[in-house]
Amino acid sequence: MINSRVILARRPTSLPVQSDFAFDSVPVPSPGPGQVLVRTLYVSIDPGMRGWLLDKPNYAAPVPVGAPMRSFGVGVVTESRSPAIATGDLVVGMTGWQEFAVLDATDVHRRIPPDTSSVSAHLGVLGITGLTAYVGMLEIGSPTPGDTVLVSTAAGAVGSVAGQLASISGARTVGLTGSEEKRRLCLDQFGFDAAINYRAESDLAAAIARECPTGVDVYFDSVGGLMLDAALGQLNVGARVPVCGTIGLPPGGAVDGPRPERTILVKRLRVQGFLATDHLARLDHIAARLADWLDSGRLTHLEEISPSLADAPSALVRQLAGDNLGRCLVRVAPDQPLPRTASARNRFEEAL
Amino acid sequence: MINSRVILARRPTSLPVQSDFAFDSVPVPSPGPGQVLVRTLYVSIDPGMRGWLLDKPNYAAPVPVGAPMRSFGVGVVTESRSPAIATGDLVVGMTGWQEFAVLDATDVHRRIPPDTSSVSAHLGVLGITGLTAYVGMLEIGSPTPGDTVLVSTAAGAVGSVAGQLASISGARTVGLTGSEEKRRLCLDQFGFDAAINYRAESDLAAAIARECPTGVDVYFDSVGGLMLDAALGQLNVGARVPVCGTIGLPPGGAVDGPRPERTILVKRLRVQGFLATDHLARLDHIAARLADWLDSGRLTHLEEISPSLADAPSALVRQLAGDNLGRCLVRVAPDQPLPRTASARNRFEEAL
């Protein structure tokens, strides 16, 4: 059997382009003791990939040239040499951009309930992006009724959930986004109380002040850079700034800007970086809460799913340009019958 | 009766100099309803005064030209028109640099127990600097055994207490200070496990790395600027950075530097500004804990007390140049007999 992969052909020095990637086909690997073979159903496209590609200090080692692009993925276990995981289990882990992945059982982030209503959601609102929004907004931002919450990349996979969680907490929410289409999406689909198309504003700080007349109590930051500068000036005393991304900085992030420490002191700010992957052990619990809100209609999400693995590089370029809408995923294999095991009764099987 | 004062004669645009201040004598004011008249015993000299003097956004309005310099002070109530405070009570509040101050009873930060062993300590280790060290180190830094804690201005009033509180918490402590004399003080008097004279180091980041071979888990920052940059590079994942001052920045603090947000994200840092004055309501409780450690010898402190109010401007200049050792205070009146009331049995009275 053949494993189709998207590999890193050349290390980008700045933003990745499509030609940094190549396609190859290799034999499907065999799992060793304690490992499982996963047939990938969906892989994710994440802003953090920009950092994973660079040969610079980061929270993860750079993806080696010649290796499949690192990514989250959800798939079905087709062979297991681990007593903890059965053939037919649906699992989430770092599959990479490939049809088949061998994972250590200990590297499987999560087993998905077999009755799940949406497999792909486990890479989004019920997975890593939902976890990012939950930890950042509810545990670090901690908005309370009366607070004003400003959210960057508000129409995106993380920002849209973060904003809705702030609304659920009783806060007034203001979204920052990069087009009129996304601004409407923030208001109409994600329930933001106000939204700013930053590309249409000549003075972003003034626009934030206009839409946040009582100041900002939580700034959910996935951007850094000039947008963070503009937000810092509008923060109230005691405000919280969860930081989950720096997509507004040049790749690598080494650039000068106004020093924030005086503002941090004078306003008694809490600026806190976090990565959802540090909180994976709690994902089952948190995903169950998010699923309740999805089921009750208090939370909504949007996916943009490219139809085949070959689309992954272009989807990444599109995502980094801010041209996507919603959680950006790639379908690697059509939802398909699972091997007939007792645990494999999920809806996509039943649909066949 | 005459009230001698040190007033702000001219607003400094950068670091204050002695000639920015002037001396005057005015009649002793009379307290109105709900106010008390305080005869000042000691006033404090604080790095934060640099910011209070500038006409720039800050956590406190700028000191008006012509008004007595704002400062913390401890004194004895000589006349009370408040039912909550008695003549003879020892109180801490914003007396300013003057012999007599009228304070609203609600602006009295604290009444000191009449049996206190040291009046001046209530402006230092048992007052605002102890509170700063306690909140910043124990509540924001939260060191645990095995952590390495790096402390800026480690021989100073706040830093020396912060370092000792980290030691009490079981952490390894490393002090940053500006002279060999202060470095010895850190090691010999304040019990730091290591100390760095930053003026003797050509590469501060390398010096921190040398003295903190397992990285830094808490950086107690009262400096900002280049020292913060050097510390950020040595922080471990999950490190905490309590920020209580920015004395390393130019006055006003508006200056560019390397953007920290990528480091904050990658290392999942918590950078948090705080002001002790936000926590005054808990000072009695916290001072009692600090007093226990002082009494048991686990905590030591150092005071540098100038002998008269006329010394206040030069003491401030000296403090801002980093030339003082220990908590910088000015004695305004000699410890003196209190009016004979039932509550006035403190040691400085007994000594007379």
Side-chain angles (χ1 to χ4, degrees):
Chain A
M1 259 203 317
I2 292 301
N3 185 20
S4 296
R5 315 187 302 175
V6 181
I7 63 169
L8 181 64
R10 172 178 78 183
R11 185 172 306 290
T13 54
S14 179
L15 279 178
V17 295
Q18 274 186 252
S19 55
D20 292 331
F21 299 94
F23 304 90
D24 74 359
S25 297
V26 295
V28 171
S30 292
Q35 293 185 320
V36 296
L37 179 66
V38 176
R39 184 180 172 100
T40 312
L41 299 174
Y42 297 92
V43 295
S44 69
I45 309 294
D46 291 282
M49 288 174 167
R50 193 184 67 157
W52 302 348
L53 289 169
L54 299 175
D55 192 12
K56 299 210 171 165
N58 202 331
Y59 53 87
V63 176
V65 171
M69 178 58 192
R70 180 187 300 143
S71 81
F72 296 93
V74 57
V76 59
V77 174
T78 57
E79 185 180 351
S80 175
R81 296 191 60 190
S82 160
I85 298 177
T87 299
D89 280 358
L90 273 173
V91 294
V92 175
M94 302 305 279
T95 60
W97 287 353
Q98 53 186 345
E99 285 186 299
F100 289 92
V102 165
L103 298 179
D104 290 346
T106 51
D107 287 342
V108 168
H109 296 160
R110 203 170 166 231
R111 287 163 62 197
I112 298 176
D115 62 347
T116 192
S117 58
S118 165
V119 172
S120 58
H122 291 277
L123 290 182
V125 63
L126 300 180
I128 200 75
T129 56
L131 183 61
T132 303
Y134 187 101
V135 170
M137 183 56 74
L138 297 186
E139 300 186 348
I140 298 175
S142 302
T144 54
D147 278 355
T148 297
V149 173
L150 181 69
V151 177
S152 62
T153 62
V158 171
S160 62
V161 176
Q164 292 175 87
L165 294 178
S167 296
I168 289 171
S169 301
R172 182 171 176 274
T173 57
V174 179
L176 284 165
T177 191
S179 73
E180 179 58 21
E181 179 185 20
K182 290 181 181 178
R183 202 181 73 83
R184 292 303 333 166
L185 197 64
C186 287
L187 296 171
D188 300 339
Q189 176 144 3
F190 299 128
F192 282 85
D193 295 294
I196 298 167
N197 170 9
Y198 60 82
R199 291 191 214 267
E201 302 285 348
S202 58
D203 181 341
L204 184 55
I208 295 171
R210 181 186 72 223
E211 301 298 340
C212 306
T214 59
V216 174
D217 301 291
V218 177
Y219 174 52
F220 189 97
D221 183 21
S222 52
V223 174
L226 300 176
M227 203 173 286
L228 175 57
D229 298 344
L232 280 176
Q234 306 306 319
L235 295 183
N236 290 328
V237 166
R240 289 80 67 195
V241 183
V243 177
C244 71
T246 58
I247 201 72
L249 296 184
V255 63
D256 279 5
R259 286 188 173 277
E261 52 262 45
R262 184 76 194 159
T263 304
I264 290 171
L265 172 64
V266 168
K267 297 191 175 182
R268 294 81 124 181
L269 305 180
R270 179 156 50 85
V271 182
Q272 186 165 351
F274 70 101
L275 293 175
T277 44
D278 292 339
H279 303 270
L280 284 172
R282 298 187 294 132
L283 178 53
D284 278 347
H285 172 72
I286 289 172
R289 293 201 70 184
L290 293 167
D292 286 345
W293 285 321
L294 277 178
D295 291 345
S296 70
R298 301 191 74 183
L299 187 61
T300 185
H301 71 120
L302 182 68
E303 294 175 329
E304 178 177 285
I305 301 181
S306 300
S308 87
L309 183 59
D311 301 317
S314 60
L316 177 60
V317 169
R318 188 172 150 78
Q319 150 107 245
L320 292 178
D323 293 336
N324 65 306
L325 286 180
R327 177 57 171 154
C328 196
L329 301 176
V330 171
R331 182 159 54 200
V332 180
D335 294 359
Q336 61 184 321
L338 291 175
R340 294 277 158 191
T341 71
S343 68
R345 290 206 208 109
N346 46 38
R347 285 201 205 170
F348 67 81
E349 179 190 23
E350 287 159 10
L352 288 166
Chain B
M1 262 203 315
I2 291 301
N3 185 20
S4 295
R5 315 187 304 177
V6 180
I7 62 170
L8 181 63
R10 177 177 74 186
R11 185 172 306 291
T13 53
S14 177
L15 278 178
V17 295
Q18 275 187 251
S19 56
D20 292 330
F21 299 94
F23 304 92
D24 74 0
S25 297
V26 295
V28 171
S30 292
Q35 294 186 319
V36 295
L37 179 66
V38 176
R39 184 179 170 98
T40 312
L41 298 175
Y42 296 91
V43 295
S44 69
I45 309 293
D46 290 283
M49 288 174 168
R50 193 184 67 157
W52 302 348
L53 290 170
L54 299 175
D55 193 12
K56 299 210 173 165
N58 201 332
Y59 52 87
V63 176
V65 171
M69 177 60 192
R70 180 187 298 143
S71 80
F72 297 93
V74 58
V76 59
V77 174
T78 57
E79 185 181 350
S80 174
R81 296 191 60 190
S82 161
I85 298 178
T87 299
D89 279 359
L90 275 172
V91 295
V92 175
M94 301 305 278
T95 60
W97 287 353
Q98 53 185 346
E99 285 185 299
F100 289 92
V102 166
L103 298 179
D104 289 346
T106 51
D107 286 343
V108 167
H109 295 160
R110 204 173 165 229
R111 286 163 62 196
I112 299 176
D115 61 346
T116 191
S117 59
S118 165
V119 173
S120 58
H122 291 276
L123 290 181
V125 63
L126 300 181
I128 199 75
T129 56
L131 183 62
T132 303
Y134 187 102
V135 170
M137 184 56 75
L138 297 186
E139 300 186 347
I140 299 175
S142 302
T144 54
D147 278 354
T148 295
V149 173
L150 181 68
V151 178
S152 62
T153 64
V158 171
S160 62
V161 175
Q164 292 175 86
L165 294 178
S167 296
I168 288 171
S169 301
R172 182 170 175 275
T173 56
V174 179
L176 285 166
T177 191
S179 73
E180 180 57 21
E181 180 186 19
K182 290 181 181 179
R183 201 182 74 82
R184 293 302 334 165
L185 197 65
C186 287
L187 297 171
D188 299 340
Q189 176 144 3
F190 299 128
F192 281 86
D193 295 296
I196 298 167
N197 170 9
Y198 60 82
R199 292 190 212 269
E201 302 285 347
S202 58
D203 182 340
L204 184 56
I208 295 171
R210 181 187 72 223
E211 300 299 339
C212 305
T214 58
V216 174
D217 301 290
V218 177
Y219 173 51
F220 189 97
D221 182 22
S222 51
V223 175
L226 300 175
M227 203 174 286
L228 175 57
D229 298 345
L232 280 175
Q234 306 306 318
L235 295 183
N236 290 328
V237 166
R240 288 81 67 197
V241 183
V243 177
C244 69
T246 59
I247 201 70
L249 296 185
V255 63
D256 279 6
R259 286 188 173 277
E261 51 262 45
R262 185 74 194 158
T263 304
I264 290 172
L265 172 64
V266 168
K267 297 191 176 181
R268 294 82 123 180
L269 304 181
R270 178 156 49 87
V271 182
Q272 185 166 353
F274 70 102
L275 293 175
T277 45
D278 291 340
H279 304 269
L280 284 173
R282 297 188 294 131
L283 178 54
D284 278 347
H285 173 71
I286 289 171
R289 293 200 71 183
L290 293 166
D292 286 346
W293 285 322
L294 277 178
D295 291 345
S296 70
R298 300 191 75 183
L299 186 61
T300 185
H301 71 121
L302 182 66
E303 294 175 328
E304 179 178 283
I305 301 182
S306 299
S308 87
L309 184 58
D311 301 319
S314 60
L316 177 60
V317 170
R318 190 171 147 78
Q319 150 107 243
L320 293 177
D323 292 337
N324 66 305
L325 286 180
R327 177 55 171 154
C328 197
L329 301 176
V330 171
R331 182 159 55 198
V332 180
D335 293 359
Q336 59 184 325
L338 291 175
R340 293 279 158 190
T341 71
S343 69
R345 291 206 209 109
N346 48 39
R347 282 199 207 172
F348 67 83
E349 178 191 22
E350 288 159 10
L352 288 167

